[in-house]
């Protein structure tokens, strides 16, 4: 492995045998004169691929023990969620944990937005957030308040969508909760929030919102099928009309008949198990 640039004495940029740039962590790895060839791979403690240039510089600002526990949390999330996460998550999560600790030291109130909504809609991510607090205490001695489980969960949700836009993640969480409220009110049901169909519906809503934000709606020649499905499931179709009106009023969004068709199908599937 070629070590090309020092970040600090224990962190450096390198290039692996396949020519990929890599951030390398290990005691003294950044100390020798650059560039040099690292032959003793036992010096390498952790490696990070596809870290953005801005985040590379943040390795200088984060304590090693907090970076280590953030990386352990991300490893746990990858296995638990079985999801490809944004490669920058270890450093952005570590940065959040560092500032959370600083706020506690300064007696600053920590507020987690949409805490109940996150816990109910993203049960797996929230559970990882709670385990993360235990890991943080065990490995660094830092006790974070329970509200931080929500904040950590939001970072995981953000990383699942491979975005760095936390504002979008918060907006999606609010929209999804509003949509669920419309459905439960209009169809007089209560969602089984631990079910597979509910989880799949939440995922569909997330992608639906992302497509709208990116102006990538689905269009096809399914207008005839949409008309048929509306007649087959009139109550669900009326509920989707309410959701469409909500989107237009609150966000000035208009959805294609194809998007409405998929909404009807997903909502009907969730309703069937309720």
């Amino acid at each position: 492995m070629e070590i090309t640039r020092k970040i600090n004495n224990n962190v450096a940029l390198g290039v692996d045998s396949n020519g990929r740039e890599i951030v390398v962590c290990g005691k003294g790895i950044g100390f020798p004169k650059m560039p040099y060839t690292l032959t003793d791979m036992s010096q390498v403690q952790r490696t990070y691929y596809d870290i953005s240039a801005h985040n590379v510089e943040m390795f200088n600002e984060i304590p090693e023990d907090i970076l280590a526990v953030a990386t352990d949390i991300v490893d746990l999330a990858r296995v638990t969620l079985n999801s490809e996460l944004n490669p920058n998550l270890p450093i952005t999560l570590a940065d959040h944990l560092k500032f959370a600790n600083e706020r506690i030291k300064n007696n600053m109130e920590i507020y987690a937005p949409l805490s109940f909504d996150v816990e109910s809609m993203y049960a797996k991510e929230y559970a990882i957030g709670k385990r993360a607090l235990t890991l943080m205490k065990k490995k660094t001695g830092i006790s974070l308040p329970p509200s931080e489980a929500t904040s950590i969960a939001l970072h995981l949700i953000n990383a699942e969508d491979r975005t760095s836009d936390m504002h979008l993640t918060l907006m999606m969480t609010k929209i999804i909760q509003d949509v669920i409220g419309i459905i439960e009110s209009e169809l007089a049901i209560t969602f089984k929030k631990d079910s597979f169909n509910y989880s799949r519906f939440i995922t569909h809503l997330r992608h639906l919102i992302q497509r709208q934000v990116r102006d990538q709606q689905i269009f096809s020649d399914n207008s005839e099928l949409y008309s048929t499905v509306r007649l087959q499931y009139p109550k669900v179709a009326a509920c989707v009309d309410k959701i469409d009106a909500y989107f237009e009023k609150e966000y000035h969004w208009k959805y294609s008949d194809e998007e409405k068709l998929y909404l009807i199908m997903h909502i009907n599937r969730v309703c069937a198990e309720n």
Side-chain angles (χ1 to χ4, degrees), residues 122-177:
Y122 304 106
K124 289 183 179 179
E125 289 85 351
Y126 184 77
I128 295 169
K130 290 177 68 176
R131 289 186 63 184
L133 301 185
T134 302
L135 284 173
M136 190 73 172
K137 174 64 176 177
K138 180 180 178 181
K139 298 195 173 188
T140 70
I142 297 171
S143 295
L144 297 178
S147 60
E148 277 301 315
T150 300
S151 298
I152 293 168
L154 285 168
H155 275 276
L156 298 177
I157 297 161
N158 206 36
E160 285 182 275
D161 293 323
R162 297 184 67 81
T163 176
S164 58
D165 189 350
M166 184 60 76
H167 172 73
L168 175 59
T169 299
L170 290 170
M171 184 179 76
M172 282 198 298
T173 302
K174 181 183 183 304
I175 291 172
I176 291 169
Q177 191 63 22

Side-chain angles (χ1 to χ4, degrees), residues 136-255:
M136 190 73 172
K137 174 64 176 177
K138 180 180 178 181
K139 298 195 173 188
T140 70
I142 297 171
S143 295
L144 297 178
S147 60
E148 277 301 315
T150 300
S151 298
I152 293 168
L154 285 168
H155 275 276
L156 298 177
I157 297 161
N158 206 36
E160 285 182 275
D161 293 323
R162 297 184 67 81
T163 176
S164 58
D165 189 350
M166 184 60 76
H167 172 73
L168 175 59
T169 299
L170 290 170
M171 184 179 76
M172 282 198 298
T173 302
K174 181 183 183 304
I175 291 172
I176 291 169
Q177 191 63 22
D178 288 346
V179 169
I180 289 171
I182 292 171
I183 296 169
E184 289 187 329
S185 174
E186 291 297 313
L187 300 178
I189 65 168
T190 300
F191 283 109
K192 294 179 180 177
K193 296 182 178 179
D194 59 348
S195 73
F196 172 73
N197 281 330
Y198 176 79
S199 177
R200 183 163 58 177
F201 178 52
I202 295 298
T203 300
H204 174 75
L205 284 177
R206 286 165 64 181
H207 292 321
L208 177 71
I209 296 164
Q210 286 178 327
R211 286 194 296 272
Q212 181 65 46
V213 170
R214 297 166 183 167
D215 196 22
Q216 297 175 344
Q217 284 195 63
I218 298 173
F219 292 94
S220 72
D221 295 326
N222 279 333
S223 57
E224 185 175 342
L225 177 59
Y226 171 62
S227 299
T228 301
V229 169
R230 283 189 64 89
L231 291 173
Q232 191 172 1
Y233 305 109
K235 290 184 179 179
V236 177
C239 180
V240 168
D241 289 341
K242 290 274 188 179
I243 294 169
D244 185 44
Y246 159 79
F247 284 138
E248 184 171 11
K249 178 182 177 182
E250 298 295 329
Y251 300 97
H252 307 292
W253 292 346
K254 291 292 291 182
Y255 280 89

Side-chain angles (χ1 to χ4, degrees), residues 102-136:
E102 291 176 2
R103 288 196 297 270
I104 290 170
K105 289 179 178 178
N106 293 320
N107 295 315
M108 295 175 63
E109 183 179 358
I110 300 174
Y111 171 67
L114 303 172
S115 179
F116 177 77
D117 299 336
V118 170
E119 182 179 355
S120 64
M121 286 190 293
Y122 304 106
K124 289 183 179 179
E125 289 85 351
Y126 184 77
I128 295 169
K130 290 177 68 176
R131 289 186 63 184
L133 301 185
T134 302
L135 284 173
M136 190 73 172

